[in-house]
Amino acid sequence: MGRVTDFDSLRRAMAENSEEPEGPARNARAEQLLLEAEKLNVPLAVIEALGHQLKVYNYSSEKDKMFVPFARLLRLWDERPEDFDEYETHSLHWVFKWMSAGMLDQPHIPLASIEKWLGEMEHRYRLAGHSERAVRSAEFSVAGHIGDLARAERAYAAWLAADRDRMADCHACELHGQGGWQLRNGRDEAALELWRPVLEGEYSCAHEPHTVLASSLVPLLRLGRVDEARAHHLRGFRLVRPMESMRGAYADHVEFCALTGNEARGLELLAERPAYFTDTGQPRSRMDFMAVVTLLMDRLTGLGLDGQRVPGPAGRTWTAGELAVHARAEALELAARFDARNGTSHVGDQVRERMAQRPLVERLPLGVRAARTAPAGPAAPVLRAPAPQEPAERLELPALLAEARRLSDTLQPHAMEAWAAVAEAAEETEVDTYVRAEITDHTAMGRGPEGVELFERAAELYAEAGDEGEAIAARGRAAYVRALAGELDEALAAITDPYDRILALYADDATGVRQTASVLMSRARILMRLVHERSEGAAEAERAVRELLALVGGRGGADVRLVSRAAEGRAMLAELAEHAGDGERAGELFRQAATQFAGAELPWFAVEYEVRVAALAHEQGDLAEAERALRSALEHGGPYVEPVGRAQLHLQLAEVVGGRGAAEEAAEHALQAAHWADEAGESGTLGAWARHQLGGFLLRQGRFAEAAEVLESALGELSAEKHGDGAVVQTQWWLGDCLSELGEHHAAAERRLQAAEIARHWPEQHDHATLAHLAAESLGNADLPVEADRAYTRAGELWRAVGNVHFLVRSLRARAWLALRTDAGLAGARELMADAVRECESALETVPDPAAAERLAAELGHTHRQFGDLLARSVPEDAEDAAIQEAFEAALAEMAAAVSVFAALGEDGLHGRTGAELAAGWLEADLSRPADAAARARAVLDAYEGADPADETVRARRAEARQLLEPTEE
């Protein structure tokens, strides 16, 4: 920062310091500037430096330092009010309000002193001719803080009744306070309605909508408006994060995490602000912060995670249980100090109530990445069964066996768990041979490729028990397991004997359809493996499947096992059709299989086939069918789809739904995909991709702050290796767009430059050029003209290389405007604009396509128009008349050229022509040529004769033309 040598340099230094981030460094600089001001021997310099110091203290964690500079300012005012200019007089009275609130936040300041100060404020405001509105607002704050609700109600009414004047808080801050009163009285809806203009951007200030967004979180949760609460958290936390002075609002976001099952994100928030545990400058916000820390730690303890390491005050490591004890003691000690000062228990009651809250939502997905606070479930197949209910008392073996058989016979979830319970109970008692065969058979089913020997043992036991058909079926299952292990030849050999024997038994009525169908299914499955792994035997596999369907077709009825065999058989025929390249036939058969499973009340088996239908429909371009199938898969899967499978289904639906333009619904599916990916422990793979998609869908809805939070979270895990460098570039690109919309131009430029650096290595350079151009735009908006010019130069080179004249010309025009802010000056700007004109004219000479020629002509018209604007606006205010006339004449020539070019385009160039005509008219007026100016205005009115009066451009141009005519008519 520059040296202070006089009053002007002091003011510049204070302005620069005001732009620095909140915190001790800015405060220390303000203290230094006050010392520099005192050396100037200018009373107003000291007054302004004191005001600057007071302001930076107020917007920091060192609010307790405000009182000293204010006391000095007040003394200076009382001694020599003539030393204060109008602005500093206003500022002095304005910060009376800060003092009132600041005193409330400091429990060591007696209540009597606060009441005395309130009277002093009222007296001085009356002397200065100000309304009572700010005074009554301050009184309302005092009464509400100590719990004198009757007085608060009176002060609230008086506050609203008093006239708004220059001393009243801004609309945004007033509405925040008024909504807070509704909240305290249990009127959540009324509070949110009062806050609506702030939330929607109608009113704002340095701390709004930051605090309103934070305050709205819990009432939204209580009202069940969880989508809004999520949005307010993502949007609001982004505003609060860089502002050190907003510990209270930050605490609201930590509280939100604790109440929505987002404990892990709450811990991340604590880790970002370690100083919040110990900063003592504002005891009330520290108390609020420690209260929600307690809430969060109690939540972790309730989840059995009291031993988990957590962020806490510096100097030692903390577990959740230890920090819960520490934070509770700190919060209650601070509350006790306030209550002792106030003579009530109101503050302590509120703190205890806040710490005792229970979660309002079991788990609210946020879309941003957060490590799990509880271990993830087991690695997942696509389907799972929901956890079985614990029996009220331990069942005896006969009951366990009956339940296991019922679940198996109806293909219900948890059949395997039921047989495991039977096996455990059977260890303690004698069971007959058939039951031992069943136990062994089902144990083998749970072993997968390792179950061959157990299936063979089960076959022996079934045979010993006299059930030859079930023995053969078990050997069929053993053969199929060999195929699963990759032993296809062995499996084919092993299934031959069971197949021949079961058909012979069935022909003699010595076994049933179930056992026969089981062997036929095992054989068909083995042959299908042969088709998939070796691409051979398709005809034989189809014969095997059709033999199975001939056996079970029409026999199912209430026997869901046979219905299941028929449905799986249809699915096998679908796979064979797909293998043969008949996607349409395959899709129809998969649909039939899914319908059969759903009809048999086995919807969880339909999921896989609906997914296959969706994939085939997508390949065929039938996105409506793909969407239907994916929705059906989610509906059928219900609680049986594992987290990873659910994530995949939601992600696919997001892409399909988003593809037809339904960004809002697509965002919801992407959000769910991110949530389930995190649940599955796939945050860095599926989760990152889902967040990438979610950010894009939020951006499309104009929800820039939410999108930025999600995209930044995605970038933490996206990688070129896992997701492709295209995904990384697109995420950076989208994030740059969001940051640009949010006014964070420097950060937007960084993201765009990072994306451009990756795209630089791609064979096709259009994206590289676009990103370089966008980065230049951001650098210019960030007031970095030299860097912006460099980026535009690079973009221009790339546009020339890819043959895009339009953007080459636009980069030259942008550089021309930047030149006015650099050493290149007006001469450089004129040269660049002339280059842009020449590029357009040169391209027009060679372009063969009439449509392309029209577009280039329009670009030329806009270039002449901008050239004229640049020449007219670049004239210094203190220029000589001759210089002004020369610049305006040159500008007028460019405007006339623009009019000519646009006129040649006919109707397509109408608005461009009238805009340039009006600009030329104003220049004619400035050159004291009223008749020429009037002629141009009339030309515009004539051009719009009979035009649509509802067209906004038409209305605006007509109004401007009439305005240009007024001096002539007068």
Side-chain angles (χ1 to χ4, degrees):
M1 293 191 182
R3 254 179 84 245
V4 173
T5 56
D6 55 25
F7 198 177
D8 286 341
S9 60
L10 173 69
R11 282 175 164 166
R12 284 196 298 273
M14 290 190 294
E16 289 172 6
N17 195 43
S18 293
E19 297 301 315
E20 292 298 307
E22 294 178 353
R26 187 170 75 157
N27 295 352
R29 176 61 174 162
E31 293 162 4
Q32 180 187 352
L33 289 174
L34 176 59
L35 296 175
E36 298 289 341
E38 289 169 339
K39 297 175 185 176
L40 297 178
N41 198 28
V42 177
L44 185 58
V46 174
I47 291 167
E48 289 189 12
L50 284 167
H52 174 66
Q53 189 182 81
L54 198 157
K55 181 179 179 179
V56 299
Y57 283 156
N58 183 61
Y59 293 111
S60 79
S61 61
E62 298 179 310
K63 289 178 184 283
D64 54 335
K65 291 185 175 182
M66 288 193 304
F67 304 109
V68 172
F70 183 74
R72 186 175 171 189
L73 270 174
L74 199 57
R75 187 174 68 252
L76 291 173
W77 169 262
D78 288 338
E79 292 172 354
R80 292 180 57 84
E82 65 274 14
D83 289 342
F84 287 69
D85 63 13
E86 182 181 356
Y87 178 81
E88 292 303 327
T89 300
H90 171 83
S91 296
L92 175 71
H93 287 81
W94 181 267
V95 296
F96 264 90
K97 299 179 293 182
W98 294 359
M99 295 305 106
S100 300
M103 289 179 177
L104 278 179
D105 292 343
Q106 305 292 332
H108 69 277
I109 298 179
L111 188 60
S113 297
I114 296 172
E115 294 285 6
K116 181 180 177 183
W117 180 257
L118 195 59
E120 179 75 8
M121 179 181 174
E122 182 174 10
H123 171 67
R124 288 181 181 266
Y125 271 42
R126 190 179 300 116
L127 286 178
H130 297 309
S131 163
E132 279 194 345
R133 192 174 181 95
V135 177
R136 299 285 77 86
S137 173
E139 181 187 7
F140 165 75
S141 298
V142 172
H145 172 68
I146 65 178
D148 187 344
L149 301 187
R151 181 187 178 190
E153 186 67 64
R154 292 193 300 273
Y156 181 82
W159 168 23
L160 268 60
D163 292 335
R164 277 189 59 82
D165 66 351
R166 294 175 64 213
M167 284 299 116
D169 282 339
C170 75
H171 283 290
C173 288
E174 283 206 331
L175 288 172
H176 183 217
Q178 292 162 21
W181 178 242
Q182 301 302 320
L183 213 60
R184 177 173 290 187
N185 287 288
R187 297 190 284 266
D188 289 347
E189 289 274 16
L192 291 164
E193 181 58 28
L194 275 167
W195 290 336
R196 184 177 51 77
V198 184
L199 295 170
E200 293 179 357
E202 185 178 346
Y203 302 121
S204 63
C205 68
H207 277 184
E208 296 296 353
H210 315 41
T211 55
V212 162
L213 284 163
S215 298
S216 71
L217 296 172
V218 172
L220 283 170
L221 291 175
R222 283 197 293 255
L223 291 169
R225 291 159 61 176
V226 295
D227 291 339
E228 291 175 73
R230 176 198 302 113
H232 287 196
H233 169 63
L234 294 177
R235 177 181 160 207
F237 183 68
R238 186 170 191 83
L239 294 171
V240 167
R241 177 188 276 139
M243 302 183 72
E244 185 210 38
S245 62
M246 301 198 73
R247 179 164 53 184
Y250 201 97
D252 291 342
H253 287 279
V254 176
E255 177 183 44
F256 167 82
C257 294
L259 297 177
T260 58
N262 286 287
E263 299 83 7
R265 178 158 171 87
L267 294 177
E268 290 179 356
L269 267 56
L270 296 186
E272 284 193 32
R273 283 290 187 184
Y276 277 173
F277 287 99
T278 52
D279 284 343
T280 59
Q282 191 186 29
R284 182 150 64 159
S285 72
R286 183 160 179 253
M287 175 186 70
D288 290 338
F289 183 75
M290 298 308 272
V292 300
V293 170
T294 305
L295 173 67
L296 179 59
M297 295 307 117
D298 283 352
R299 176 66 182 148
L300 290 171
T301 300
L303 292 170
L305 300 169
D306 53 309
Q308 178 169 324
R309 287 274 298 275
V310 295
R316 56 161 288 185
T317 59
W318 296 88
T319 66
E322 292 166 343
L323 186 56
V325 173
H326 170 80
R328 177 175 280 100
E330 290 273 334
L332 292 176
E333 189 275 331
L334 285 164
R337 287 168 57 194
F338 280 108
D339 283 342
R341 189 268 302 274
N342 300 338
T344 69
S345 65
H346 184 67
V347 173
D349 292 343
Q350 286 188 310
V351 167
R352 281 183 284 273
E353 182 180 340
R354 191 173 198 182
M355 293 190 298
Q357 292 177 98
R358 304 300 303 159
L360 295 169
V361 181
E362 182 180 351
R363 179 72 189 278
L364 178 62
L366 301 179
V368 292
R369 179 192 58 79
R372 290 176 54 88
T373 49
V382 174
L383 294 177
R384 66 172 176 185
Q389 298 295 316
E390 288 292 330
E393 57 185 43
R394 186 177 178 83
L395 298 177
E396 296 298 326
L397 180 58
L400 290 172
L401 184 58
E403 177 65 5
R405 285 172 173 166
R406 183 189 70 79
L407 293 174
S408 289
D409 286 345
T410 55
L411 299 177
Q412 294 299 305
H414 301 304
M416 299 304 293
E417 290 92 330
W419 280 107
V422 170
E424 184 180 350
E427 291 176 359
E428 302 172 5
T429 185
E430 281 291 324
V431 295
D432 63 38
T433 303
Y434 193 85
V435 172
R436 282 193 289 126
E438 289 179 290
I439 292 172
T440 306
D441 199 3
H442 286 92
T443 303
M445 292 177 192
R447 298 282 178 87
E450 300 174 2
V452 174
E453 292 183 6
L454 282 174
F455 277 127
E456 297 289 359
R457 176 59 183 151
E460 293 171 2
L461 291 168
Y462 280 128
E464 186 181 332
D467 191 337
E468 188 62 27
E470 202 61 60
I472 296 171
R475 289 196 171 92
R477 290 190 280 275
Y480 175 55
V481 166
R482 289 184 186 279
L484 289 177
E487 302 172 6
L488 288 175
D489 294 329
E490 293 85 348
L492 284 168
I495 197 63
T496 302
D497 181 62
Y499 171 69
D500 291 338
R501 290 179 61 198
I502 201 72
L503 289 180
L505 278 180
Y506 182 68
D508 292 339
D509 288 330
T511 192
V513 176
R514 273 196 181 188
Q515 291 78 9
T516 307
S518 176
V519 176
L520 295 183
M521 177 58 79
S522 293
R523 181 170 178 267
R525 286 172 174 171
I526 292 168
L527 290 167
M528 288 298 296
R529 299 287 295 188
L530 193 67
V531 173
H532 290 311
E533 295 188 20
R534 297 183 183 174
S535 293
E536 60 185 51
E540 187 178 0
E542 182 172 349
R543 284 194 294 273
V545 173
R546 293 196 180 282
E547 183 180 20
L548 168 69
L549 291 173
L551 174 70
V552 300
R555 290 175 177 268
D559 190 334
V560 296
R561 277 184 175 272
L562 296 182
V563 174
S564 173
R565 300 295 189 203
E568 188 177 347
R570 267 191 218 311
M572 287 176 172
L573 290 178
E575 290 175 17
L576 289 168
E578 187 178 11
H579 182 76
D582 190 349
E584 189 174 340
R585 173 68 175 153
E588 178 57 34
L589 287 166
F590 278 132
R591 270 191 295 275
Q592 291 176 14
T595 301
Q596 274 191 286
F597 276 124
E601 298 185 358
L602 302 171
W604 45 90
F605 289 124
V607 173
E608 177 184 352
Y609 303 122
E610 292 286 16
V611 171
R612 300 286 290 273
V613 170
L616 287 165
H618 206 284
E619 286 176 15
Q620 295 159 19
D622 188 351
L623 298 184
E625 173 61 9
E627 183 178 335
R628 182 212 62 76
L630 289 168
R631 290 187 189 282
S632 183
L634 269 175
E635 179 186 349
H636 287 152
Y640 308 107
V641 179
E642 280 284 352
V644 68
R646 194 170 294 193
Q648 290 167 336
L649 287 172
H650 278 295
L651 193 50
Q652 290 177 62
L653 252 180
E655 293 174 355
V656 172
V657 171
R660 62 172 169 80
E664 189 171 347
E665 185 186 353
E668 178 58 33
H669 285 298
L671 174 69
Q672 291 298 325
H675 166 69
W676 289 110
D678 290 347
E679 289 291 302
E682 293 288 341
S683 176
T685 51
L686 270 178
W689 182 257
R691 277 181 267 280
H692 158 81
Q693 294 280 49
L694 173 59
F697 292 131
L698 291 170
L699 171 61
R700 280 163 60 178
Q701 296 174 67
R703 295 160 66 177
F704 304 117
E706 296 167 64
E709 280 292 299
V710 170
L711 291 167
E712 285 175 344
S713 179
L715 279 172
E717 293 178 315
L718 277 174
S719 70
E721 294 74 26
K722 293 179 188 173
H723 306 93
D725 55 6
V728 177
V729 167
Q730 184 64 79
T731 304
Q732 296 274 25
W733 193 328
W734 282 338
L735 181 53
D737 291 348
C738 291
L739 295 171
S740 180
E741 293 288 346
L742 294 169
E744 299 176 34
H745 298 299
H746 196 284
E750 288 182 0
R751 294 300 184 180
R752 287 167 167 175
L753 287 170
Q754 288 167 3
E757 178 59 25
I758 299 173
R760 181 169 69 88
H761 303 286
W762 293 354
E764 206 287 314
Q765 287 289 283
H766 187 274
D767 285 342
H768 181 199
T770 304
L771 286 162
H773 197 109
L774 289 171
E777 182 182 293
S778 293
L779 289 165
N781 289 332
D783 201 23
L784 296 168
V786 175
E787 294 83 350
D789 180 74
R790 216 163 26 236
Y792 273 125
T793 301
R794 177 61 180 145
E797 293 168 354
L798 291 165
W799 290 128
R800 189 185 297 281
V802 301
N804 191 319
V805 179
H806 293 273
F807 278 94
L808 168 60
V809 168
R810 290 171 195 180
S811 67
L812 288 167
R813 293 199 309 242
R815 289 182 62 204
W817 286 103
L818 286 169
L820 297 177
R821 297 156 58 189
T822 69
D823 294 342
L826 179 57
R830 294 182 74 147
E831 184 178 345
L832 285 161
M833 277 293 186
D835 286 346
V837 170
R838 282 192 293 271
E839 290 289 349
C840 273
E841 291 174 339
S842 175
L844 273 168
E845 291 174 1
T846 58
V847 65
D849 178 27
E854 284 193 8
R855 290 194 295 273
L856 271 173
E859 200 71 67
L860 177 60
H862 290 302
T863 305
H864 279 301
R865 168 67 197 270
Q866 284 202 32
F867 201 168
D869 285 337
L870 180 142
L871 292 169
R873 295 180 192 179
S874 61
V875 181
E877 291 183 5
D878 56 354
E880 299 288 337
D881 288 349
I884 294 174
Q885 179 159 351
E886 181 185 353
F888 281 11
E889 291 285 7
L892 185 58
E894 294 297 334
M895 294 300 180
V899 170
S900 177
V901 172
F902 284 126
L905 293 173
E907 190 66 25
D908 290 340
L910 177 61
H911 290 330
R913 185 185 70 142
T914 56
E917 196 85 74
L918 287 168
W922 291 113
L923 285 167
E924 302 274 24
D926 288 336
L927 289 166
S928 301
R929 299 170 188 165
D932 292 337
R936 292 191 181 277
R938 292 191 187 96
V940 170
L941 293 174
D942 290 345
Y944 286 126
E945 187 70 33
D948 181 4
D951 186 310
E952 289 186 14
T953 302
V954 172
R955 288 206 308 270
R957 296 284 162 79
R958 281 174 170 168
E960 189 178 350
R962 293 190 191 100
Q963 185 183 358
L964 185 57
L965 275 173
E966 282 176 7
T968 306
E969 293 172 345
E970 290 172 1

